[in-house]
């Protein structure tokens, strides 16, 4: 037996049991670790949403202004002058302040730890009515009936979605005929720029998705995805949203905002 084989045998006998024990502990506690991560992320992202709303507030206010002009496909809501809004990636409710009075809400998020945060925020916006809170992936919203909502809202959500096409297919399914999809998303910078190269490296390497904790990518071309999704009409604009308070905004400053009609 070679000296290397002897050393390997000694290493296995010394550390093998410890490694197997750690592996067993990880396997038994991975559910708890995942829940702890989700709880921590919900709290951290909620704090980020407050900071983000400072520079993004004027854009959101302008984008959502036309919500008050929408007529519901639901006769009961229409007669009351109300609409039904479904928000994907609803989080702690950072967009509640921009929704019209009396709107009925269907809130969708894959992280259940946003629930208490959202309910606390709803107390500050008692002019809104929460119909349903659904914990699921936006790629498969089977709990939501087809043609059942007047508006779908998505703000800085699609960056962390693996299958954007599947989400947009679901958006079109749940929207009533003529329904509107309102979106505000950060996207990749212009090809050939230094920022674009940095965004690609951080995304492809997995560094950025890992740092964010929710799979966010900087190299998304969400504007092209929305235009190719088969909506009857798409209106979107590009703009920069930026604040010096967080260095992260240098990486996500390029945004698109707009409305797509089913």
């Amino acid at each position: 037996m070679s000296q290397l084989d002897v050393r390997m045998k000694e290493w296995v006998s010394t550390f093998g049991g410890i490694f197997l024990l750690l592996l067993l502990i990880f396997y038994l506690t991975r559910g708890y670790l995942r829940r702890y991560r989700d709880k921590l992320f919900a709290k951290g992202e909620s704090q980020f949403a407050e900071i983000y709303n400072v520079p993004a507030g004027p854009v959101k206010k302008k984008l959502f202004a036309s919500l008050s002009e929408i007529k519901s496909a639901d006769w009961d809501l229409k007669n009351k002058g109300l609409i039904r809004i479904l928000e994907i990636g609803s989080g702690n409710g950072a967009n509640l302040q921009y929704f019209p009075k009396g709107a009925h809400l269907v809130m969708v998020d894959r992280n259940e730890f946003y629930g208490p945060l959202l309910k606390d925020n709803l107390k500050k916006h008692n002019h809104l009515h929460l119909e349903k809170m659904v914990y699921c992936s936006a790629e498969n919203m089977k709990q939501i009936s087809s043609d059942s909502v007047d508006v779908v809202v998505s703000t800085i959500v699609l960056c962390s979605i693996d299958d954007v096409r599947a989400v947009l297919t679901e958006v079109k399914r749940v929207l009533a005929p003529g329904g509107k999809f309102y979106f505000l998303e950060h996207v990749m910078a212009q090809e050939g720029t230094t920022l674009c190269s940095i965004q690609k490296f951080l995304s492809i390497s997995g560094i950025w998705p890992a740092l964010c904790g929710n799979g966010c990518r900087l190299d998304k071309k969400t504007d092209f995805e929305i235009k190719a999704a088969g909506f009857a009409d798409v209106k979107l604009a590009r703009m920069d949203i930026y604040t010096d308070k967080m260095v992260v905004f240098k990486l996500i400053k390029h945004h698109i905002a707009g409305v797509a009609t089913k």
Side-chain angles (χ1 to χ4, degrees):
M1 183 179 293
S2 69
Q3 188 175 5
L4 178 61
D5 290 336
V6 172
R7 288 182 178 178
M8 287 295 295
K9 186 175 181 180
E10 291 175 347
W11 188 91
V12 170
S13 62
T14 303
F15 300 104
I18 297 175
F19 175 76
L20 289 175
L21 178 61
L22 291 174
L23 189 63
L24 178 62
I25 292 173
F26 173 77
Y27 178 79
L28 293 175
T29 61
R30 59 181 180 174
Y32 173 79
L33 292 173
R34 187 181 301 113
R35 287 177 60 82
Y36 179 77
R37 179 202 64 189
D38 290 347
K39 186 176 183 179
L40 191 64
F41 177 81
K43 184 176 180 180
E45 196 279 334
S46 296
Q47 294 173 344
F48 170 79
E50 292 181 11
I51 298 173
Y52 178 80
N53 261 357
V54 175
V59 177
K60 286 186 176 183
K61 187 174 182 179
K62 182 178 179 181
L63 174 65
F64 295 130
S66 59
L67 285 175
S68 59
E69 302 172 4
I70 293 176
K71 305 298 182 183
S72 181
D74 182 305
W75 279 102
D76 184 50
L77 292 180
K78 183 178 180 179
N79 290 336
K80 296 176 181 177
L82 307 175
I83 60 172
R84 180 174 290 114
I85 300 173
L86 184 154
E87 181 172 7
I88 57 176
S90 56
N92 71 330
N95 291 323
L96 295 178
Q97 60 186 298
Y98 306 105
F99 295 161
K101 183 177 180 179
H104 285 225
L105 307 179
V106 179
M107 308 298 264
V108 173
D109 204 291
R110 60 189 178 188
N111 188 340
E112 64 183 85
F113 290 102
Y114 278 117
L117 301 174
L118 174 63
K119 289 180 180 178
D120 285 343
N121 210 355
L122 278 167
K123 293 176 183 177
K124 305 173 187 176
H125 301 86
N126 53 16
H127 61 284
L128 301 171
H129 174 68
L130 178 64
E131 279 190 354
K132 185 187 298 185
M133 179 72 208
V134 181
Y135 299 107
C136 70
S137 168
E139 292 100 325
N140 183 13
M141 299 185 288
K142 60 183 179 181
Q143 299 94 322
I144 313 299
S145 301
S146 299
D147 306 322
S148 64
V149 301
D150 304 301
V151 173
V152 174
V153 169
S154 167
T155 61
I156 54 171
V157 171
L158 299 181
C159 57
S160 60
I161 296 294
D162 291 329
D163 192 345
V164 175
R165 292 183 182 180
V167 173
L168 296 176
T169 297
E170 279 289 84
V171 168
K172 290 192 298 177
R173 180 185 68 79
V174 301
L175 277 174
K180 307 284 186 179
F181 173 44
Y182 285 70
F183 54 89
L184 172 64
E185 302 286 344
H186 72 80
V187 294
M188 189 175 71
Q190 186 177 351
E191 289 278 5
T193 61
T194 301
L195 178 56
C196 179
S197 299
I198 294 173
Q199 289 173 327
K200 286 182 177 180
F201 168 74
L202 290 175
S203 297
I204 295 172
S205 65
I207 294 174
W208 183 258
L211 286 175
C212 290
N214 67 337
C216 171
R217 293 182 65 100
L218 299 168
D219 58 350
K220 290 283 191 178
K221 297 181 179 180
T222 308
D223 44 347
F224 292 96
E225 296 276 13
I226 294 174
K227 288 178 179 178
F231 287 97
D233 181 62
V234 177
K235 291 182 173 62
L236 67 81
R238 294 180 68 98
M239 76 283 295
D240 288 349
I241 295 178
Y242 180 77
T243 175
D244 290 325
K245 289 187 176 181
M246 293 185 71
V247 96
V248 65
F249 278 88
K250 292 183 179 180
L251 295 172
I252 65 168
K253 68 177 184 177
H254 292 288
H255 284 66
I256 57 168
V259 182
T261 304
K262 179 176 176 179

